[in-house]
Amino acid sequence: MEPLFTILGRGRAGRALAEAWGGRVALAPHEADPGGLVLLAVPDHAIPCQAARFQGRCVHLSGSLHLQDVPSAHPLTSFRGRAEDWGGTPLALTGSVPEPIREAFVAVGFLPFELPVDQKALYHACAVLTSGHAASLWLGAARLLAEAGLELPGRGLLPLAEATLANVAREGARGRTGPFVRGDEATIQRDAEALPEAWRRVFLELGRLG
Ligand SMILES: NC(=O)c1ccc[n+]([C@@H]2O[C@H](COP(=O)([O-])OP(=O)(O)OC[C@H]3O[C@@H](n4cnc5c(N)ncnc54)[C@H](OP(=O)(O)O)[C@@H]3O)[C@@H](O)[C@H]2O)c1
């Protein structure tokens, strides 16, 4: 049976989606030259060159980049190369995404919405803040503790991060806790002084943004 379309690029996104879609969709390396519809799952910097090869019959996965006449479908998730439960995960569509590709995303739980071109960069910056930057904060804090020789028992910082996210999901801004919310200035200053300079600035600036 002919595949519905071909995913080009066997990275984290390409492999995860190919596994979820099973045999209905083909997965190929980026040097391949498939016919029919192509879903470009290559790094953002490689998209312009690849899109030129499949003009008028490709869709890319970048949430930030916009190319004239090349539609995009950005899954608002963090892939790890395996199929997962994507129920309720937004899928940002820009331009005319062909029905077979749109339907394939919907079939595995994604919720499509139209993302205007002029809001792509803001949308993607907010995605980075929530994902990569949140991970950097969490991993950085764990590293500071380890460097100081302070070993937390059990699951370490993870229960705190999980409880915070669950509270915010339930209650919005009211779910946020900590010295900045309580206005505990002496605690804020004491904590800030315990941090290396770069982290101190992040600590104070992020705290005041909330
Ligand atoms: N990762 C995520 O969580 C995520 C989430 C939403 C959207 N996206 C988007 O999905 C796209 C792919 O991201 P990814 O995380 O899957 O990337 P990735 O893991 O870095 O993999 C991209 C794949 O592209 C191919 N490739 C590598 N260098 C290339 C080059 N110079 N030119 C052309 N192809 C090259 C390779 O596949 P082959 O070895 O098979 O050729 C590589 O495995 C990006 O546009 C990204 O913005 C990613």
Side-chain angles (χ1 to χ4, degrees), residues 45-54 67:
H45 64 80
I47 292 174
C49 177
Q50 294 292 334
R53 296 173 60 214
F54 304 105
L67 286 178

Side-chain angles (χ1 to χ4, degrees), residues 12-177:
R12 294 170 78 93
R15 281 182 287 116
L17 291 168
E19 183 176 296
W21 290 329
R24 292 170 307 154
V25 168
L27 177 65
H30 74 277
E31 305 94 340
D33 191 17
L37 272 178
V38 175
L39 182 62
L40 300 175
V42 296
D44 286 15
H45 64 80
I47 292 174
C49 177
Q50 294 292 334
R53 296 173 60 214
F54 304 105
Q55 228 168 10
R57 57 183 179 98
C58 69
V59 173
H60 71 76
L61 288 172
S62 171
S64 176
L65 175 74
H66 172 65
L67 286 178
Q68 187 79 24
D69 300 326
V70 185
S72 63
H74 179 258
L76 190 53
T77 188
S78 176
F79 289 113
R80 63 181 178 104
R82 302 302 308 263
E84 275 162 271
D85 177 6
W86 293 306
T89 303
L91 176 77
L93 302 180
T94 304
S96 287
V97 174
E99 262 324 286
I101 292 182
R102 187 183 189 282
E103 278 168 13
F105 276 107
V106 171
V108 294
F110 288 99
L111 295 177
F113 72 99
E114 297 297 325
L115 177 64
V117 170
D118 61 359
Q119 291 187 333
K120 280 197 90 169
L122 173 65
Y123 156 83
H124 195 254
C126 290
V128 173
L129 282 171
T130 320
S131 173
H133 281 19
S136 298
L137 277 180
W138 188 74
L139 292 168
R143 203 170 52 241
L144 287 172
L145 290 179
E147 283 166 5
L150 196 54
E151 218 171 288
L152 303 182
R155 297 166 66 228
L157 289 168
L158 198 55
L160 174 63
E162 288 172 351
T164 303
L165 203 53
N167 286 340
V168 172
R170 257 192 307 267
E171 302 174 52
R174 287 205 354 258
R176 190 170 165 254
T177 59

